[in-house]
Amino acid sequence: MKLLHIDSSALGNHSVSRQLSADIVAQLQRAEPGLRLHYRDLAADPLPHWTPAAGASDPAADAVLAEFLAAEVIVIGAPMYNFAISSQLKAWLDRILVAGQTFRYGANGPEGLAGGKRVIIGSSRGGFYGKDTPAAGMDFQEPYLRAAFAFIGITEVTFVRAEGIALGAGQKAQALAEASQQIELLAA
Ligand SMILES: Cc1cc2nc3c(=O)[nH]c(=O)nc-3n(C[C@H](O)[C@H](O)[C@H](O)COP(=O)(O)O)c2cc1C
């Protein structure tokens, strides 16, 4: 099985989402030692903003799309920045949602062409955005990612969340412990 591992936090070794994505990949590797891994660090190796010229012929963008299409499982470290995803991850999505490759417009509207893949997202947030919290309506990270992947036909999307990271070391430790429990269940 081919696994594509993506990180998109700008915070390097201090990043929580990087820790989550690494733990998710390690768990999947324990379950399937023969896993073939491809890693892309969108902060260390950023993609330029999409432009018509870059969209027309860009070997780097072609490689990004090819490695996505080849993967059966995609693990993404996704920090919440200003209620949404990092601009690094947005630049990647702009290379993944491509008409004629991962979706097309048919007689009945848009049709996803990339179905059958599994996406697991390690999501970190400074605050809390659960459905019963006051800030629930400000979460443009998880609904956006679910919508973007559903648009290209991927509905098997799992979120492993670490929330309240900005509330101090105790809450961060608790959030990571809870995330670890979620990660242990992934390969079940
Ligand atoms: C530029 C920036 C914007 C942020 N915006 C938000 C936000 O809108 N909501 C929130 O709860 N936390 C916000 N945070 C806190 C991050 O979500 C939190 O630190 C999380 O751990 C980031 O993931 P990372 O550690 O993998 O980078 C922000 C942090 C940064 C650096």
Side-chain angles (χ1 to χ4, degrees), residues 9 11 14-17 79-83 124-127 129 165:
S9 163
L11 296 183
H14 300 288
S15 160
V16 173
S17 64
M80 176 184 272
Y81 289 164
N82 295 316
F83 312 110
S124 50
R125 293 114 171 250
Y129 297 84
I165 298 306

Side-chain angles (χ1 to χ4, degrees), residues 46-118:
L47 294 167
H49 287 162
W50 187 91
T51 63
S57 66
D58 179 350
D62 292 348
V64 167
L65 181 59
E67 69 199 25
F68 171 77
L69 291 173
E72 292 148 276
V73 180
I74 299 105
V75 175
I76 302 173
M80 176 184 272
Y81 289 164
N82 295 316
F83 312 110
I85 60 173
S86 67
S87 56
Q88 289 88 344
L89 185 55
K90 177 62 167 58
W92 181 80
L93 281 172
D94 288 343
R95 308 307 174 127
I96 298 303
L97 275 65
V98 179
Q101 297 281 347
T102 53
F103 72 91
R104 69 179 166 217
Y105 288 104
N108 300 316
E111 182 190 344
L113 303 176
K117 299 180 191 296
R118 181 185 188 195

Side-chain angles (χ1 to χ4, degrees), residues 10 32 44 58-59 71 84 93 100 105 132 159 163 168 176-178 181 185:
E32 191 174 329
D58 179 350
L93 281 172
Y105 288 104
D132 296 325
F159 278 80
E163 291 197 304
L176 287 172
E178 287 170 7
Q181 290 176 352
L185 298 175

